């Protein structure tokens, strides 16, 4: 599922999408270890998509209230030193 107005090679592409108790989630499961640069690029794509406002027109957006940007959950086997002003980091108890 590619969800992006960006170049096809650089699309936001979560593995799963769900709405739980009215809250949308995009979930990415990284089973392989990637470079920190690649993970930072992934975070940057989500930020670009957020600022594009095009997510507000996705078909699952609520009609009776303001559009909601999904929470993005990255499940990875390792901790990455990525940075964003837009996200919170919740490490598992194994890594804390």
């Amino acid at each position: 599922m590619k969800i992006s107005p960006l170049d096809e090679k650089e699309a936001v592409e979560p593995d799963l999408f769900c709405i739980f108790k009215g809250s949308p989630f995009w979930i990415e499961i990284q089973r392989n270890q990637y470079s920190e640069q690649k993970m930072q690029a992934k975070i940057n794509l989500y930020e670009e998509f957020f600022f594009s406002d095009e997510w507000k027109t996705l078909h699952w957006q609520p009609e009776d209230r303001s559009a909601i940007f999904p929470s993005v959950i990255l499940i990875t086997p390792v901790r990455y030193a990525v940075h964003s002003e837009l996200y919170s980091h919740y490490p598992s108890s194994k890594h804390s």
Side-chain angles (χ1 to χ4, degrees):
M1 159 177 43
K2 288 192 179 189
I3 311 170
S4 181
L6 306 171
D7 183 299
E8 280 296 310
K9 295 176 186 172
E10 295 188 1
V12 171
E13 198 169 359
D15 296 312
L16 301 166
F17 170 74
C18 67
I19 297 176
F20 181 71
K21 294 187 177 185
S23 297
F25 292 88
W26 284 332
I27 302 169
E28 291 215 18
I29 301 170
Q30 305 302 144
R31 294 175 29 181
N32 299 317
Q33 184 170 346
Y34 293 128
S35 69
E36 288 188 357
Q37 293 82 10
K38 184 167 184 164
M39 290 304 291
Q40 184 65 57
K42 189 177 291 277
I43 296 295
N44 294 346
L45 284 174
Y46 278 103
E47 287 182 345
E48 288 176 34
F49 192 55
F50 174 79
F51 288 117
S52 78
D53 284 342
E54 293 201 26
W55 53 272
K56 293 179 179 179
T57 63
L58 296 174
H59 73 279
W60 49 264
Q61 288 290 351
E63 295 179 9
D64 59 339
R65 58 188 171 132
S66 298
I68 305 167
F69 191 80
S71 294
V72 178
I73 299 173
L74 298 172
I75 300 172
T76 67
V78 297
R79 182 182 292 182
Y80 293 96
V82 294
H83 174 73
S84 172
E85 296 296 324
L86 302 177
Y87 84 95
S88 297
H89 176 223
Y90 299 101
S92 70
S93 58
K94 178 180 176 184
H95 294 107
S96 51

